[in-house]
Amino acid sequence: MATVPLIEEETASAEVRAVFDDIRRVRNTDWINNFWRALANHPPTLRRIWQGLKEVMAPGALDPLTKEMMYLAVSISNGCQYCTASHGAAAKRLGMTPEMLGELIAVVGMANQTNRLADGYRVAVDERFENLF
Amino acid sequence: MATVPLIEEETASAEVRAVFDDIRRVRNTDWINNFWRALANHPPTLRRIWQGLKEVMAPGALDPLTKEMMYLAVSISNGCQYCTASHGAAAKRLGMTPEMLGELIAVVGMANQTNRLADGYRVAVDERFENLF
Amino acid sequence: MATVPLIEEETASAEVRAVFDDIRRVRNTDWINNFWRALANHPPTLRRIWQGLKEVMAPGALDPLTKEMMYLAVSISNGCQYCTASHGAAAKRLGMTPEMLGELIAVVGMANQTNRLADGYRVAVDERFENLF
Amino acid sequence: MATVPLIEEETASAEVRAVFDDIRRVRNTDWINNFWRALANHPPTLRRIWQGLKEVMAPGALDPLTKEMMYLAVSISNGCQYCTASHGAAAKRLGMTPEMLGELIAVVGMANQTNRLADGYRVAVDERFENLF
Amino acid sequence: MATVPLIEEETASAEVRAVFDDIRRVRNTDWINNFWRALANHPPTLRRIWQGLKEVMAPGALDPLTKEMMYLAVSISNGCQYCTASHGAAAKRLGMTPEMLGELIAVVGMANQTNRLADGYRVAVDERFENLF
Amino acid sequence: MATVPLIEEETASAEVRAVFDDIRRVRNTDWINNFWRALANHPPTLRRIWQGLKEVMAPGALDPLTKEMMYLAVSISNGCQYCTASHGAAAKRLGMTPEMLGELIAVVGMANQTNRLADGYRVAVDERFENLF
């Protein structure tokens, strides 16, 4: 299964190799997973996505594990197999336990259920919920 | 906008009122929002969803704020307006700041972006990502 | 809220009026709802969709009410407000009671919940479920 | 493909085995499919989902085959492979014929098509479709 | 992986063979891909979808390559593997280069990202964007 | 309807005003639409999204109108009202006619229909469609 070849280090352009190097450096690993090697078929996308991801997932008001688990929750909800597998692994690396995964999946399931109940009954937003901040 | 009437306390059955009472007790509020008053049109659903939600959102391996923010992240990703508004308010009550909301929305957006990149290139799951636990 | 004007009978082309006439005849009504008047901005789409819908929703191995409720279930699941409202009305016309709607929405919610549980755990399809027919 | 191990009867806790027993009893089968064996990694989810599913899918204002076909329709629409396979098998067991499946899939396709036409033209809900019940 | 058998030319009904012949004629090929052979299990769907697709994808105000790339963009966004593969091949046949695919996937990813940002912040539609035509 | 206030020029930080200025310059307009004014509540997101959008939507192997129509197609398919309205307006500014919009919406509808047919029948990807490039 593949639309494009996975770009190997040896045949990569200097631009692609620079991004691969940065991924390894930031993640403290010697390994590049398939996602980045697929994106390397379109170097501007590879560079832009990696820069954006680094920025969005950096520690901030939310810690990296919380962000990674949110990312996983959204990926599961969207039915994206690759991202469910890769961000599941990333969250585990950051400390997600099987019990935390179990609760995360339960929340994703429950949210998907009540989202459709609200849409099915076409429930109007309560005045109190407007203008949150 | 509405498919069904919002059930008022006064005209509710004893079964419905019992659930409303429990919602007020658990949430320490005197107010029932539209979602529950719409669900009250089908009492078995009202009861089942409230019981399930109480169980799923209780403190566990994940704390209530983290769960509420995940719920919000999924609801945004699904484009559910009502749940985005109501779970936004719930997360705020539990301590979510504007900065945390900003980062949460950024993660949701990024996950939706890379989910489609992975699907667009039909990237195969790396062997290392299998059998997480 | 609108992207295009809603086409009025008086200003419609002969092609559009012929479809409107057929809708009124088949549905035994004197009224054309907004969906068709929006589609009338692109007459080939109006004609094609009406012909297709007539064919798909006709009595067959499934009766019209069952089909209409399935249509409604899918529309709710997709978060399409217009279709939730219009196919809700159509199902009611064919005999859907408030109790049936309550059960329908409960099924839609449950399916959305377990769909994500299956995707979250990346459950492999059991051999017994292959080659259904 | 898997995120978690599929729990075997022999190594399951008493809590998990009790749910497995109930599934076999209610479904009159000696077999537990992968979905439940994956959920057994998080026993509270296993128990809650099974209880909820039993309640939602029981005969009521809608018969079990109609409910099962709705479940299948939603699962197809969501692109959930596992649920499409498992609920397809369940609907077949309850009497769904190939002709009924053909019509069901046609309805799901048509609903997905018109959902996007309505959203694309941003069609406003007709006054007559409000306040269904 | 399959719900239904793929219908072979030899065992197909005259009705199915007529559609297969038309597909080969219009596409100038001697080959029928799996999608049509699966749809052939329900001949009215096979005929209706093929007629609709022929009409929608014909040259018009938009050229066939633009239409095919839009079809691919939507299929990627929906996470439909089969359609991503088949419409990717169709777009390539019509002239889509790797560079064009790279830009297409980047647009799909970006749109999915900003769709959720707009939904997350619940941004109201600007007055200037109403009544487009 | 709103989760956050729309940031006004006068009260914006220098960082936000710099992005607003760049938007006006690139788009040759004196107007900032609600999307950017909502994003301005989280300046790093405002900056990152605007930079990314500028890059992705610039002329390349695909021309700006084709990209804008793809963006619109995906936004419609996702049911994002705001993006359907705003990218509809953007595509019109670049030359999209009512006829082109009609064909675009027809393609989006058809793709959503056949995506679910392929998923409903669980059609396996043809060998010929693998390894596109």
Side-chain angles (χ1 to χ4, degrees), chain F residues 7-53:
Chain F
I7 303 296
E8 299 291 343
E9 196 84 20
E10 297 71 37
T11 60
S13 67
E15 183 184 4
V16 164
R17 259 178 303 146
V19 177
F20 283 4
D21 285 346
D22 196 47
I23 293 173
R24 278 190 291 257
R25 189 186 56 74
V26 169
R27 296 195 163 170
N28 195 23
T29 176
D30 63 350
W31 183 61
I32 300 291
N33 54 302
N34 290 348
F35 178 72
W36 302 109
R37 302 205 285 130
L39 255 56
N41 284 277
H42 195 245
T45 298
L46 174 69
R47 187 188 38 67
R48 184 175 49 80
I49 296 295
W50 169 245
Q51 289 298 333
L53 202 76

Side-chain angles (χ1 to χ4, degrees), chain C:
Chain C
M1 157 184 160
T3 298
V4 291
L6 298 174
I7 302 297
E8 299 291 344
E9 196 84 20
E10 297 71 38
T11 60
S13 67
E15 183 183 5
V16 165
R17 260 178 303 147
V19 177
F20 283 4
D21 285 345
D22 196 47
I23 293 174
R24 278 190 291 255
R25 189 185 58 74
V26 169
R27 296 196 164 169
N28 194 23
T29 175
D30 64 348
W31 183 61
I32 300 292
N33 55 302
N34 290 348
F35 179 71
W36 302 109
R37 302 206 284 129
L39 255 55
N41 285 276
H42 195 245
T45 298
L46 173 68
R47 187 188 38 68
R48 184 174 51 79
I49 296 296
W50 169 245
Q51 290 297 334
L53 201 76
K54 229 181 2 175
E55 180 181 322
V56 167
M57 300 307 278
L62 300 173
D63 63 280
L65 174 57
T66 300
K67 287 183 170 182
E68 201 59 78
M69 288 192 300
M70 265 177 200
Y71 211 115
L72 176 59
V74 169
S75 300
I76 290 171
S77 187
N78 283 340
C80 180
Q81 267 220 48
Y82 187 86
C83 303
T84 295
S86 62
H87 288 276
K92 187 185 173 193
R93 219 161 35 226
L94 290 170
M96 182 179 71
T97 63
E99 187 63 23
M100 290 160 83
L101 176 66
E103 296 188 9
L104 181 160
I105 293 179
V107 171
V108 173
M110 183 58 77
N112 272 283
Q113 179 172 229
T114 61
N115 284 185
R116 273 61 185 207
L117 296 176
D119 280 345
Y121 285 114
R122 301 182 62 230
V123 186
V125 174
D126 306 72
E127 187 60 31
R128 292 199 199 181
F129 292 154
E130 296 288 354
N131 305 310
L132 204 56
F133 289 110

Side-chain angles (χ1 to χ4, degrees), chain F residues 2 17 32 50 59 61 70 90 94-95 97 100-101 105 110 123 133:
Chain F
R17 259 178 303 146
I32 300 291
W50 169 245
M70 263 176 201
L94 290 169
T97 64
M100 290 160 82
L101 175 66
I105 293 180
M110 182 59 76
V123 186
F133 288 110

